[in-house]
Each structure stands twice: as structure tokens, then as C-alpha cells.
Amino acid sequence: MDKDFREEFTEVIKFTPPLYKQRYQFVKDLVEKYKPKKVADLGCADCRLLWMLKFCSCIEVLAGLDICASVMKEKMHTLSPLPVDYLQPSERSLTVTLHHGSIAHKDPCMLGFDLVTCIELIEHLEESELKKFPEVVFGFMAPSMVVISTPNSEFNPLLPGVVLYRHPDHKFEWNQAQFQSWALDTAKCYDYSVEFTGVGHPPPGMENVGFCTQIGVFVRKYPQTSESLPSEEHPEAVYKTVFKAVYPSLKDEKYLQNAVVSEVIFTAQNIKHHLMSKLEKDDDDDPERKSRVQPSVDYFPDYLRKLVVDQTLEPFVSGNEVCIPLVTIFSFPKVNRLCGTFEKLCKLIAGKVPLSSDGSAVVFNTEHE
Ligand code: SAH
């Protein structure tokens, strides 16, 4: 390449957003498109990609692996649930685990993943590790999809300050032909297909240089996963788990119960509030009405009235108690969606919400909120 031409570009090449963010975004876009439930990031370093992925609502299991425990521990706290996750548990379940170990070794905790990402990992592997990598990732883990990114050495002359490799820990950097040949051989050997793309466009007129980061997206051609291996064929665990977070989820009965109890009380209080204010207003308009405490559905605003279909299910005041039938509460969309069945509603609120003696209605005192 002509030196002057090259220098002209080294001044201007600056990726926006930065290249590492473009790589993470590439993975995130793939996740949004293919919706894998279980994702493992190999060579996860400071867990930044994992942190981004925890917001993808399709993911239920996230795992990270790195040979360097200290780099993983730096920011692993960012993978812990936040107070808001406890206040409003999500409908999906999510478990995030970090393992300390080498991709050169097989560990059963790496089985059953749908997507495995290896972002800027392979160029950090020693020759012996790189040799074992295909068998561990494609042969043993055998996920439906693997994403591998690595520097494209053809781009290096355009990057300011790069003499041999982009990072002192890189053991090699491949040009496009080298990466593609390795990837195609690996794909063929383990029955995957592979497509090549990348992030970090070359400057106009230099398209033959290729992307700054080259990416191979591998898709497994056969249907089953290694999870179907008989358990005696599983290797022994060799990785050390350094972090595990189980996010609160409505799939967990404990959190579901909290959510249902709060929603039932909120709904019942709302109904009581409308009922009491309507009764008060009518008492003011017609003092003789005080003795007639059974309201009609007309007492409710439109959105409540639509829900109180059967008039025998109307809330009513008896003495100093307001009774709100459970069937009415169950007809509210949020309660209904949370519980699924009326039986489940009864089961979840038993002993947690004040009920009438036959258990058919929520009972509140007329005085207190
Ligand atoms: N994927 C991250 C980090 C890339 S740097 C990112 O895109 O930002 C490569 C990472 O691979 C480092 O954190 C390094 O500790 C890790 N690594 C190197 N050799 C490894 C091996 N044999 N097994 C697992 N991780 C390894």
C-alpha cells in the first residue's frame, strides 16, 4: 500500500460508535433476531457484553467464561439484580453465571446453549488451545449458533500505531483468507454452515481491505444438542463458578404470590374507593338512602362497570365491611393474566388477604384504607 495514501487514512479512521460497541451491537442484533434462550460468552473479560445481553428479554440463561478471574470480577456486580428487579419481578426467569476456566477444557456447565459468542477471543489463544477450541465449542458444546470475531490483519496498516498486532496479548492476527479457511474447515468438520461479515467499514475506495473486525456466524446443520449425551459421557466439572445471580421472576411462586397479593389488594381498594365515594355522594343527595347499601353497577365508572358483568357479583357494604367478590377481582386483566385460573388466585391469596368466611370475597373495613 502506498505510504502517503496509508498515512492519510490513519489520521481519519475513527469508528463511531467505537468498534467494541459495534461488535456487541452485532451480537445483540443477532439475539433480537434469533431469540436464543441460553447464551454463553466465551472470553467474556469484564462482562460488558453479558451486561448488554441481560436486557434481551428472550434470554433465560446467560453464562460467561474467562481464564482470567480478576478481570471477570472487576464488574461482575453489574450483573446482579437491582432493587427494581425485586419490586417488579419480570415474567421471564434469568440466571447469570460466571465460570473461571479455559475454553481448551470441556465442562458440562457449558452444555445446552443456543448461542455461543467468542468476541475477540481466538487471537488470544495459544496454539495448543486454538487446536482444542473447535472440538470444545463445535463438537462438545454444539450450540445451534456460534459467533466468532477476530481482527482482520489486512486492516492493520490503516490503524494508527499498530506495528505487529493490535494488542500485546494477541498470539496471531489473520487476514481474511486465513480466517475464512480456518472457519470453513471447522464448519465442515463439525457439520455447521458459516457466513462471513464484519464491523468497522474500510474507507471508500478501499473495500478490498475488508472489515476491521471479521466475523463468522456458524449455524449447526443438525437438530439435536449435546444435552442429549448420556450423563455418563459428560466430562467432570473443571470450571470454577465465581458468580451466580438468579433474578426474581414471576415464574417463581414466591414472587408470583407477592405480585398477586399486591395486585388483588390494589384492585380491591380501588373498587372500595369508588364504591364509598359514590355512596357518600348519594347520601348527600338523598339522606334517606343511608339504609340502602347495596349499590348497583351504575355506581362504577365505565371501566369498572364493564368488568362487573354478573350483578350478583357486585361489591356491597354490610355493616362496617365492604365485600368485593373475588370473581370480580379476577375479571381484572392484570390479576387474570398473573393467575391464569380462578383456583390459582384463591390458592395464592389464601391467608394473605382478608377474606369473607366462605372465602368468596375480599373484605375491608369501611373506615380504613
Ligand atoms: N470478549 C471480550 C474480551 C476479549 S479479550 C471483548 O470483546 O471485549 C480476550 C479474553 O479472552 C480475555 O479476557 C482473556 O482473559 C480471555 N481468554 C484468553 N484465553 C482464554 C482461554 N483459554 N479460555 C477462556 N478465556 C480466555
Side-chain angles (χ1 to χ4, degrees):
M1 193 181 310
D2 174 46
K3 188 167 175 291
D4 293 342
F5 190 53
R6 193 174 78 197
E7 277 174 359
E8 191 184 313
F9 279 114
T10 54
E11 308 247 316
V12 294
I13 286 195
K14 191 169 178 265
F15 295 108
T16 328
L19 209 51
Y20 77 92
K21 283 198 181 160
Q22 292 192 35
R23 290 192 285 262
Y24 296 166
Q25 192 57 47
F26 179 87
V27 172
K28 203 166 179 214
D29 292 345
L30 266 190
V31 166
E32 303 291 0
K33 185 168 174 196
Y34 293 101
K35 310 225 174 297
K37 279 190 176 171
K38 300 181 177 185
V39 179
D41 185 29
L42 310 181
C44 64
D46 61 4
C47 312
R48 278 202 233 189
L49 176 58
L50 291 171
W51 179 82
M52 259 178 92
L53 295 180
K54 84 169 188 152
F55 298 99
C56 297
S57 58
C58 59
I59 297 179
E60 295 180 359
V61 175
L62 256 184
L65 170 74
D66 206 287
I67 202 165
C68 178
S70 56
V71 70
M72 269 193 297
K73 286 178 180 172
E74 259 171 44
K75 294 204 183 119
M76 69 183 183
H77 61 273
T78 62
L79 298 174
S80 296
L82 299 169
V84 66
D85 294 315
Y86 288 98
L87 288 171
Q88 275 186 323
S90 159
E91 301 223 356
R92 67 143 169 185
S93 60
L94 174 64
T95 304
V96 185
T97 319
L98 295 179
H99 305 282
H100 175 220
S102 170
I103 192 52
H105 301 132
K106 296 175 182 173
D107 186 298
C109 72
M110 283 288 138
L111 291 173
F113 285 90
D114 304 308
L115 170 67
V116 167
T117 56
C118 310
I119 305 304
E120 307 296 275
L121 166 69
I122 57 171
E123 66 278 8
H124 290 264
L125 301 180
E126 302 284 353
E127 207 181 325
S128 60
E129 295 174 318
L130 184 67
K131 249 195 189 133
K132 290 180 185 149
F133 176 89
E135 172 50 25
V136 177
V137 174
F138 295 92
F140 172 67
M141 294 176 72
S144 10
M145 188 176 274
V146 180
V147 181
I148 297 181
S149 86
T150 193
N152 165 18
S153 63
E154 286 163 78
F155 206 102
N156 287 357
L158 300 178
L159 298 172
V162 173
V163 184
L164 178 62
Y165 297 143
R166 295 182 195 176
H167 190 278
D169 188 51
H170 286 181
K171 309 301 184 297
F172 61 88
E173 284 178 5
W174 281 335
N175 61 28
Q176 297 174 84
Q178 287 169 311
F179 176 54
Q180 293 186 12
S181 148
W182 175 86
L184 285 165
D185 286 351
T186 305
K188 194 168 172 215
C189 184
Y190 292 96
D191 207 10
Y192 279 68
S193 62
V194 57
E195 285 191 9
F196 300 100
T197 177
V199 291
H201 284 274
M206 302 200 69
E207 284 75 16
N208 60 328
V209 163
F211 291 104
C212 187
T213 295
Q214 43 186 344
I215 299 176
V217 179
F218 300 73
V219 177
R220 197 185 58 214
K221 288 190 188 164
Y222 59 97
Q224 94 270 21
T225 74
S226 303
E227 256 187 325
S228 55
L229 274 180
S231 57
E232 64 269 21
E233 283 179 33
H234 283 184
E236 274 192 29
V238 283
Y239 297 165
K240 190 174 164 225
T241 302
V242 291
F243 173 90
K244 183 166 180 176
V246 179
Y247 277 64
S249 154
L250 295 177
K251 292 212 170 88
D252 180 333
E253 191 92 353
K254 179 176 72 186
Y255 294 108
L256 177 64
Q257 184 173 48
N258 276 344
V260 169
V261 168
S262 310
E263 196 56 33
V264 164
I265 290 177
F266 173 79
T267 307
Q269 273 175 346
N270 225 348
I271 296 174
K272 174 192 153 184
H273 175 77
H274 282 290
L275 177 60
M276 298 308 291
S277 46
K278 191 71 193 165
L279 286 176
E280 261 168 41
K281 188 172 174 290
D282 288 345
D283 287 347
D284 293 345
D285 295 349
D286 169 15
E288 279 182 23
R289 221 190 151 278
K290 268 195 160 77
S291 53
R292 303 194 308 267
V293 286
Q294 177 76 37
S296 108
V297 279
D298 300 342
Y299 280 68
F300 297 96
D302 273 356
Y303 80 97
L304 286 183
R305 191 166 56 225
K306 267 191 226 118
L307 297 163
V308 185
V309 193
D310 182 344
Q311 300 219 353
T312 62
L313 303 175
E314 283 176 39
F316 61 93
V317 178
S318 164
N320 62 348
E321 286 183 337
V322 187
C323 298
I324 304 123
L326 278 183
V327 178
T328 305
I329 294 173
F330 183 64
S331 64
F332 277 66
K334 194 160 175 199
V335 178
N336 196 290
R337 190 167 45 82
L338 281 170
C339 305
T341 64
F342 185 72
E343 290 67 34
K344 182 96 187 187
L345 166 68
C346 297
K347 188 176 160 232
L348 288 169
I349 64 169
K352 303 274 177 189
V353 174
L355 294 177
S356 56
S357 53
D358 64 354
S360 69
V362 173
V363 180
F364 286 149
N365 194 290
T366 46
E367 300 297 321
H368 324 289
E369 273 293 297

